[in-house]
Amino acid sequence: MIKFFRTIRFRLIGENKVKKYLFYALGEIILVVIGILIALAINNNNVKRTILKKEQTYLAGLREDFTASKNKLQELINVNAQNYEGARQIIRYISNSDLQPDEKQFSELLYKTLVYDISFNPNNSLLNEMMNSGSLKDISNRELRIYLTNWISMLEDITKQENDLGNQREMIVDMFRGNEQSIRTVFDLSGVTENELEIKPRKNNTSNLNLLKSTEFENKLLVFILTSEATEKAHYVPLMKNIDVILELIEKEIEH
């Protein structure tokens, strides 16, 4: 088409028809501009499709990661509840002298209450990669971007709380590291010695029931219960709600 206009332009110059020459020259310029605009539009559409495809890939990965993190958090909430409910049962034994466990019951309760440390380890590899590479901007939903950004700061607060809870737990466990109490009794009567350590249990074990009369033990258990409950109510439950919102926003963007 441009060659056609150029041929006409040269013929008009040769015939000294200036006005017609200017008309055809302008038409040639307009045609070039239109061609450039069409090329830019095609390129922009290709770029948009590439970004959309990249966003959808990220969204699918984030959905998988946050679903896994939600399952981990739910399991952690269950374990934490088991811990503070076990500690609460021990407090009931301390408070009621008529309601006393035997050595085996007490050992099993101690083990169930204190054996599991609490630490949330979410699947953050993709989100960290996106934030480090600046790819978070490829998520078009502004609300979702804000939730993903705030997710990291929430995890930092939870880690501090979990460290505090871990310290309270260790203070109780430390009472079994001296000569007055026996961790071996707890292991023997709860089946850990034989099943996990593959060692024969003792026939005669040192009793730990005197802990039910220890004010120090009671104090540490009470602080442990309060810290465990605070971890659940002030941190894990709000975090679970955030995960649900994030997953809901991701689903909407994927469907969209």
Side-chain angles (χ1 to χ4, degrees):
M1 184 65 72
I2 294 176
K3 185 177 180 182
F4 171 74
F5 273 99
R6 188 178 295 118
T7 301
I8 295 176
R9 180 161 49 90
F10 287 153
R11 181 168 57 82
L12 291 173
I13 292 173
E15 295 175 358
N16 199 23
K17 295 180 180 179
V18 177
K19 287 184 179 180
K20 288 187 176 181
Y21 164 75
L22 292 176
F23 173 76
Y24 281 106
L26 180 60
E28 185 177 347
I29 293 171
I30 292 173
L31 184 62
V32 171
V33 171
I34 291 173
I36 292 173
L37 291 176
I38 292 173
L40 288 174
I42 293 173
N43 182 65
N44 287 338
N45 286 334
N46 289 335
V47 170
K48 287 179 181 179
R49 280 196 295 270
T50 300
I51 292 175
L52 180 60
K53 184 177 179 181
K54 183 179 180 183
E55 180 185 15
Q56 290 296 311
T57 300
Y58 280 142
L59 289 171
L62 289 171
R63 177 172 60 181
E64 183 178 341
D65 282 355
F66 275 94
T67 299
S69 295
K70 179 179 179 177
N71 293 335
K72 287 182 179 181
L73 182 58
Q74 186 58 61
E75 180 64 25
L76 200 61
I77 289 173
N78 295 340
V79 171
N80 187 56
Q82 173 185 288
N83 290 353
Y84 68 69
E85 286 298 338
R88 203 179 261 130
Q89 181 58 47
I90 295 173
I91 293 296
R92 293 190 189 100
Y93 287 142
I94 293 173
S95 303
N96 188 351
S97 58
D98 295 330
L99 181 67
Q100 295 292 294
D102 60 29
E103 198 71 51
K104 180 174 174 51
Q105 289 174 326
F106 190 44
S107 293
E108 290 174 344
L109 186 56
L110 283 170
Y111 182 77
K112 184 177 70 173
T113 302
L114 301 173
V115 68
Y116 296 112
D117 199 2
I118 299 297
S119 180
F120 182 45
N121 182 30
N123 289 30
N124 274 349
S125 56
L126 178 58
L127 180 57
N128 288 334
E129 177 190 326
M130 291 173 64
M131 297 186 74
N132 293 334
S133 64
S135 297
L136 193 60
K137 67 180 184 300
D138 294 326
I139 302 298
S140 56
N141 187 306
R142 181 175 179 273
E143 185 180 6
L144 178 55
R145 289 201 308 272
I146 292 173
Y147 269 96
L148 291 175
T149 302
N150 292 340
W151 171 260
I152 302 300
S153 60
M154 288 189 71
L155 293 181
E156 291 173 355
D157 290 339
I158 285 175
T159 298
K160 294 177 184 178
Q161 179 68 18
E162 289 175 339
N163 288 338
D164 186 24
L165 178 57
N167 290 335
Q168 301 304 327
R169 172 179 167 274
E170 282 300 312
M171 287 182 185
I172 300 173
V173 174
D174 281 344
M175 297 188 70
F176 290 88
R177 293 191 170 103
N179 292 323
E180 295 183 7
Q181 312 306 143
S182 173
I183 194 71
R184 176 67 182 270
T185 298
V186 175
F187 286 174
D188 282 357
L189 298 183
S190 60
V192 176
T193 305
E194 188 171 16
N195 299 328
E196 302 295 332
L197 302 180
E198 297 182 354
I199 299 173
K200 275 190 174 184
R202 289 175 177 172
K203 293 182 179 180
N204 297 313
N205 294 104
T206 303
S207 176
N208 290 313
L209 292 175
N210 61 313
L211 283 173
L212 298 176
K213 298 179 181 180
S214 168
T215 301
E216 179 186 3
F217 182 62
E218 182 181 21
N219 291 341
K220 291 178 178 180
L221 272 178
L222 289 171
V223 175
F224 175 73
I225 292 170
L226 290 175
T227 308
S228 297
E229 291 183 336
T231 301
E232 177 182 317
K233 295 176 182 178
H235 295 274
Y236 287 162
V237 171
L239 189 65
M240 182 64 81
K241 291 179 180 178
N242 266 43
I243 293 178
D244 287 336
V245 172
I246 288 172
L247 286 172
E248 182 180 350
L249 290 171
I250 289 174
E251 288 296 337
K252 287 181 179 178
E253 290 303 305
I254 289 178
E255 291 174 2
H256 176 73

